Amino acid sequence: MKLDAEFCETRCPVCTRARKGNALAKIIQKLEMLLTFGGCPAGRDRQKKYGVNPNEGRP
């Protein structure tokens, strides 16, 4: 499994659910972003590719 921007965007079990509004996923994602200083490698790749944080939807 390749962890890249597309994984974070469409298949990540935490990020996709958090962006849809799942409360538990939002908490897990906030902790992850705090502990890793901005998100996992796939989330940081998504930020570079799309210009939005892992916890934000695309415009």
Side-chain angles (χ1 to χ4, degrees):
M1 176 177 8
K2 184 178 177 190
L3 297 179
D4 60 2
E6 296 306 315
F7 175 79
C8 183
E9 182 69 23
T10 60
R11 295 184 309 259
C12 177
V14 175
C15 292
T16 55
R17 289 180 179 135
R19 286 192 295 269
K20 289 179 182 177
N22 182 294
L24 180 59
K26 283 184 175 186
I27 292 168
I28 293 170
Q29 187 180 52
K30 284 180 185 180
L31 286 172
E32 177 185 40
M33 290 183 69
L34 285 172
L35 294 173
T36 61
F37 303 106
C40 69
R44 289 191 298 268
D45 193 37
R46 180 179 183 267
Q47 187 173 11
K48 288 177 192 171
K49 185 172 182 176
Y50 299 117
V52 290
N53 290 328
N55 60 339
E56 299 172 336
R58 286 188 2 200

